[in-house]
Amino acid sequence: MPELKPVVRALPKIPLGVSDWSKLADKHKNYMFVDKTAKLAELAQNDTVFIARPRRMGKTTLCSMLYELFTHGKESFKGLAVYDLWPETDVYPVIFLSFNVFSGDDVSKFEESLKDAVINAFINAGFPEAERIQKEVTFSGFLGKFNRIALQHKLVIIIDEWDYPLSNSLHNEDRFNVVKSVLRDFYAWLRALPNVHFMLVTGIMRYRETSLFSGQDIQDLS
């Protein structure tokens, strides 16, 4: 009788440092993860959601998954809980901004970099006309020009690591105050932006601790 050889199957890999849903969902990568996607359907029932968590707690992965669901629908989630629970039948332009890319000590460039990031976020969401928006105006005036786009389309807003520019400036009081002033204008505009279907904001600091934006319409799930 021929000797039987054991069948060796590759164990799933733990996706340490992988937060992009397209990579997690790639069956060729053979990543292991716990299916908690039913919670995504619950989140989508709210208008504005805020979640504060320490680093490496899955905030960016959450943002990536919601970006996929709102932008392309639930097809890549087939076999997971959210596939049958996702309440949306439409897809939406998603304005996705990650603030953890803003670093360095040149505070004079922070406002300019944020303007570029907002323009790119709208272009990536399918609004090429954003490239023509004039940057050589006040920050509030610049942001207000995007309201015309928002009035024509229901938007989804996803902000990841909203407080990173602040925490990255704690060693320098002057820089911190400048960054805080710019972010105050940004979040004031964000709160007043018309025609927003859903908004998610994540970070480390609780927003009530900074007084940058407040209000009873934010569902704080921290």
Side-chain angles (χ1 to χ4, degrees):
M1 178 179 292
E3 182 181 356
L4 296 177
K5 295 183 179 180
V7 177
V8 179
R9 293 185 175 89
L11 292 175
K13 295 178 290 187
I14 298 176
L16 294 175
V18 179
S19 55
D20 187 329
W21 171 246
S22 64
K23 294 180 181 178
L24 287 171
D26 187 345
K27 291 181 171 54
H28 295 95
K29 300 288 186 181
N30 195 29
Y31 283 131
M32 177 178 64
F33 57 88
V34 178
D35 182 7
K36 296 184 179 181
T37 59
K39 297 293 184 183
L40 300 176
E42 294 182 36
L43 280 179
Q45 303 292 339
N46 298 281
D47 295 324
T48 304
V49 177
F50 178 88
I51 299 176
R53 283 287 187 275
R55 298 201 187 282
R56 301 299 180 185
M57 294 290 286
K59 299 186 300 296
T60 300
T61 303
L62 170 65
C63 291
S64 179
M65 295 170 91
L66 286 172
Y67 177 85
E68 174 67 19
L69 284 163
F70 279 114
T71 304
H72 301 118
K74 62 183 184 178
E75 192 59 30
S76 68
F77 292 83
K78 188 173 290 186
L80 301 179
V82 72
Y83 187 82
D84 294 323
L85 298 174
W86 185 243
E88 301 287 348
T89 56
D90 297 324
V91 293
Y92 301 86
V94 179
I95 310 302
F96 189 3
L97 283 166
S98 179
F99 276 79
N100 65 1
V101 300
F102 296 99
S103 59
D105 294 322
D106 191 351
V107 70
S108 65
K109 294 183 179 179
F110 176 66
E111 183 177 309
E112 181 181 351
S113 298
L114 184 50
K115 285 181 178 180
D116 287 336
V118 172
I119 289 174
N120 289 333
F122 272 83
I123 291 174
N124 292 336
F127 303 113
E129 62 269 32
E131 191 171 10
R132 298 191 297 270
I133 291 180
Q134 184 181 2
K135 293 193 293 183
E136 289 72 28
V137 294
T138 64
F139 191 52
S140 296
F142 164 80
L143 293 172
K145 294 181 182 297
F146 291 90
N147 290 5
R148 287 176 292 181
I149 296 177
L151 286 171
Q152 301 173 38
H153 307 271
K154 281 188 175 296
L155 300 177
V156 169
I157 310 291
I158 297 178
I159 307 292
D160 192 21
E161 301 286 358
W162 79 274
D163 54 332
Y164 182 82
L166 289 173
S167 61
N168 195 49
S169 305
L170 292 174
H171 63 286
N172 187 319
E173 183 178 358
D174 291 337
R175 173 182 168 82
F176 182 90
N177 289 332
V178 171
V179 169
K180 184 176 180 180
S181 177
V182 174
L183 289 181
R184 181 181 289 113
D185 288 343
F186 174 78
Y187 288 112
W189 164 74
L190 197 65
R191 293 289 307 281
L193 190 65
N195 220 13
V196 174
H197 177 70
F198 174 82
M199 184 186 305
L200 170 69
V201 180
T202 78
I204 294 177
M205 286 191 283
R206 301 284 291 272
Y207 67 89
R208 291 190 178 93
E209 297 168 358
T210 64
S211 73
L212 282 181
F213 56 97
S214 59
Q216 299 304 312
D217 57 328
I218 298 178
Q219 184 71 20
D220 187 351
L221 300 181
S222 303

